[in-house]
Amino acid sequence: MSLGDFLRNRRGRVSPKEVGLPDGAGRRQTPGLRREELAALAGVSIDYYTRLERGRDTNPGRAVLDALATVLRLDDDERAHLHRLAHPGVGSVAAPQVVRPALVRLLEMVRPTPAYVLNQTSDLLAANAEGRCLLVGVAVPGNLVRYVFTHPAAREVFVSWRRMAEDCVAHLRTLDDSPARAALVDELRGRSAEFADLWAHYDVRVKSGARRTFQHPEAGRLELTSEILTAVDGQRFVTFQAEPGTPDHAALRLLGDDSDSDSDSDSDSNSNSNSNSDSDSNSNSNSNSNSDSNSDSNSNSDSNSNSNSNSNSDSNSDSNSDSDSDSDSEKGNHSGRPSAGRPL
């Protein structure tokens, strides 16, 4: 939305009575202040203000913008937004999409507190286990605003869903226009009539710490306080905290236990699979070893049998030879011939 659009929107929200003016004669065609009334209160000419609102003057000074912001009763976030519209890109820094390792470590250090790292357009870049578990069905990487408006579980998770939705849209309004923001807004205007209505309403509000109520299917109802730390590169570190020692804090530990249990279950499943594989391997190894042993035993048995048989055969042959020799000797003695070497 342009500078002129924002001025017209906020001009329509301020009644003459709020700035000390009479309602004036006749019926007003539009709600809020007339152009000439706003110009007079801000100390600028009607012609100059008309050029601003119609986009014919695109370089108003800071003093003029501050005067208009005061008359329009803008808060700090809205005043800053007015200046960004008049001078886009000044002081803006493109946020990187890669999460710094220090923030990743911090996600683990704050457990069991649910924590997330988001960029300027609320893309969820990283989250710890409790963070993923708290926002049922959330995708990481994904986008928090898209989750709020399009995921069926979001309306159950956020007890004050309307307030969360308003804050998400108002925060998007505080950002400089960019291809990423424009693509997200166009997508959600087409997918959600509620988003389209809130975008047209044009609230501008930077997200800050707030009390949020969650309803979780396992942990139950949780009262948590969000804290948001913004880095110089635009990335935001967001936590949902509970006071230590309270039932809400205990419930957060339950979220952590559930996530760890799921992780352990996967680990046990992999361990059992590996154990079964090892068991099968050992069984096959033992079977092959026993088979080889039996084969060796049979081979040894056959060898021993053959060896014994041959040995016995040789022994019997020798015995038979000795027996034949003795028999011949006895025959010679019984024939009456003198044996050699015997005197007559």
Side-chain angles (χ1 to χ4, degrees), residues 41-54:
L41 291 168
V44 298
S45 70
I46 178 60
D47 290 339
Y48 179 72
Y49 176 78
T50 301
R51 290 198 305 271
L52 279 180
E53 198 170 278
R54 291 179 177 176

Side-chain angles (χ1 to χ4, degrees), residues 315-328:
S315 175
N316 291 336
S317 176
D318 293 340
S319 175
N320 292 336
S321 177
D322 293 340
S323 176
D324 291 342
S325 177
D326 292 342
S327 175
D328 291 339

Side-chain angles (χ1 to χ4, degrees), residues 59-208:
N59 191 32
R62 178 174 292 275
V64 171
L65 295 173
D66 285 337
L68 291 171
T70 300
V71 176
L72 294 173
R73 307 169 73 85
L74 303 184
D75 62 21
D76 291 343
D77 292 338
E78 294 167 333
R79 184 182 294 264
H81 181 65
L82 178 66
H83 281 272
R84 282 194 299 270
L85 289 174
H87 305 287
V90 177
S92 62
V93 178
Q97 293 294 104
V98 179
V99 183
R100 287 179 289 138
L103 290 181
V104 174
R105 291 193 295 271
L106 195 56
L107 287 172
E108 294 302 312
M109 291 173 64
V110 300
R111 294 182 67 187
T113 296
Y116 313 83
V117 178
L118 300 89
N119 66 6
Q120 292 174 326
T121 54
S122 295
D123 288 335
L124 286 163
L125 304 180
N128 61 16
E130 289 80 2
R132 293 171 184 268
C133 192
L134 179 64
L135 302 184
V136 177
V138 73
V140 180
N143 184 276
L144 181 61
V145 185
R146 185 183 292 113
Y147 172 79
V148 170
F149 281 95
T150 65
H151 199 291
R155 294 174 187 267
E156 300 295 329
V157 171
F158 296 103
V159 174
S160 299
W161 179 87
R162 178 72 184 187
R163 179 62 177 173
M164 183 65 181
E166 291 172 350
D167 288 346
C168 285
V169 178
H171 178 78
L172 280 179
R173 281 292 190 186
T174 68
L175 306 179
D176 291 331
D177 196 15
S178 66
R181 192 191 78 154
L184 179 63
V185 170
D186 288 345
E187 174 197 343
L188 294 180
R189 287 173 70 184
R191 297 179 64 181
S192 171
E194 290 163 308
F195 179 90
D197 289 343
L198 289 173
W199 186 255
H201 190 64
Y202 211 142
D203 280 341
V204 180
R205 185 170 55 255
V206 174
K207 266 191 176 182
S208 57

Side-chain angles (χ1 to χ4, degrees), residues 270-323:
N270 292 333
S271 176
N272 290 335
S273 176
N274 293 334
S275 176
N276 292 334
S277 176
D278 293 341
S279 177
D280 292 341
S281 176
N282 291 335
S283 176
N284 291 334
S285 176
N286 291 336
S287 175
N288 292 335
S289 176
N290 292 336
S291 175
D292 293 341
S293 175
N294 291 336
S295 176
D296 292 341
S297 175
N298 292 335
S299 176
N300 292 335
S301 175
D302 292 342
S303 176
N304 292 335
S305 174
N306 292 335
S307 176
N308 292 337
S309 174
N310 293 335
S311 176
N312 292 336
S313 175
D314 293 340
S315 175
N316 291 336
S317 176
D318 293 340
S319 175
N320 292 336
S321 177
D322 293 340
S323 176

